[in-house]
Amino acid sequence: MKNIKAFTLSEVLIALVIIGVIAAITVPFIYAQYTEQERISKVKKTYSMLANAMIRVKADGGDMILDIDANNYKNVENWFNSYLKNYIIVTKICYNDTAGCWNNGNSYNMDGSTAYMNNSGIGIGSGIITFVLNDGTFININVQSASSVAKYFGVDINTKFGLEIYFDINGSKKPNTIGKDIFAAVFTEEGIVPAYKSRSASQINSDCSSSGSGYTFIQKYLVK
């Protein structure tokens, strides 16, 4: 009989160990890359939807919210119902209450500090409207004065107010952190603008680090 060559048990075990080590190294990397691409796609989709909705709002005269007394919350609510709500598909709307349209508990900046939350824990800001899109994305709208928009978003505006827009692409799931699953923009007379659009590349990179706020991360995703 001819000798039949075969792998020994030890050789098979060594091969399996090598395959296991390679898998342990590559699978997390591949998963991370897939997750990152999925996140980028969701950010672009949500931002585009909001931008298109705001264009239609402005064409309807809905940018009037930027000139009226937006500190009166009812004005904000009336603006939302009269204009923005007509151009988005939502499953739930929360008018300045804790009905479950934003994260339960705190939202965070990239450096781990707590993002400004109103006393009731409704969302980011004070007099706000939060709502849930049909794909599960949470949206948080807060009115800010022109000076605050310039300070916190790096955008100078000619009107009294601007609308901060935060969107959480995975809803109530963690980490609830700006730059990771929460992204920021502002609605001005020029339309919707990503947070700190005026910042330089080095400033953006610094803000997107673990010691930054994470607000400018949206710009990294929009250009990918």
Side-chain angles (χ1 to χ4, degrees):
M1 294 181 63
K2 293 182 179 180
N3 292 330
I4 300 176
K5 294 182 179 182
F7 292 109
T8 65
L9 179 59
S10 61
E11 289 174 330
V12 171
L13 291 175
I14 290 172
L16 290 175
V17 169
I18 293 173
I19 293 172
V21 170
I22 294 173
I25 295 172
T26 59
V27 169
F29 175 77
I30 293 172
Y31 177 76
Q33 289 292 307
Y34 170 77
T35 303
E36 179 76 355
Q37 288 302 316
E38 188 176 39
R39 187 182 297 117
I40 291 170
S41 177
K42 189 71 178 290
V43 169
K44 287 183 174 181
K45 175 186 174 184
T46 305
Y47 183 85
S48 177
M49 181 276 300
L50 288 171
N52 289 333
M54 289 301 193
I55 288 172
R56 298 178 72 181
V57 164
K58 188 174 181 181
D60 267 359
D63 57 346
M64 56 85 181
I65 189 68
L66 305 175
D67 282 314
I68 65 174
D69 181 10
N71 286 320
N72 182 337
Y73 177 74
K74 274 297 177 184
N75 288 336
V76 185
E77 185 176 325
N78 291 337
W79 171 86
F80 179 82
N81 287 322
S82 299
Y83 296 102
L84 183 58
K85 194 171 75 170
N86 298 327
Y87 303 118
I88 54 178
I89 302 175
V90 300
T91 58
K92 191 172 186 179
I93 304 171
C94 305
Y95 296 106
N96 211 26
D97 63 37
T98 55
C101 297
W102 194 250
N103 310 313
N104 294 323
N106 291 326
S107 298
Y108 301 94
N109 298 312
M110 185 72 78
D111 61 8
S113 61
T114 302
Y116 172 74
M117 305 283 285
N118 71 355
N119 294 332
S120 301
I122 296 168
I124 301 176
S126 49
I128 62 175
I129 293 173
T130 52
F131 53 92
V132 185
L133 299 180
N134 59 334
D135 64 357
T137 299
F138 284 179
I139 307 289
N140 181 124
I141 293 180
N142 175 56
V143 178
Q144 280 282 18
S145 66
S147 59
S148 293
V149 169
K151 178 179 178 181
Y152 296 112
F153 282 84
V155 179
D156 291 319
I157 58 179
N158 297 316
T159 47
K160 295 178 181 178
F161 300 96
L163 293 178
E164 289 181 337
I165 304 171
Y166 298 89
F167 56 94
D168 190 324
I169 58 175
N170 62 355
S172 60
K173 296 178 182 178
K174 294 182 178 180
N176 302 332
T177 298
I178 295 172
K180 293 184 178 180
D181 57 347
I182 299 174
F183 299 88
V186 64
F187 179 49
T188 73
E189 71 271 24
E190 297 178 5
I192 189 171
V193 180
Y196 288 113
K197 183 180 179 181
S198 60
R199 288 197 171 182
S200 66
S202 60
Q203 288 175 319
I204 291 173
N205 289 331
S206 176
D207 185 67
C208 292
S209 69
S210 58
S211 60
S213 70
Y215 271 73
T216 58
F217 223 110
I218 186 173
Q219 295 184 55
K220 280 181 170 286
Y221 281 1
L222 291 179
V223 299
K224 287 188 176 182

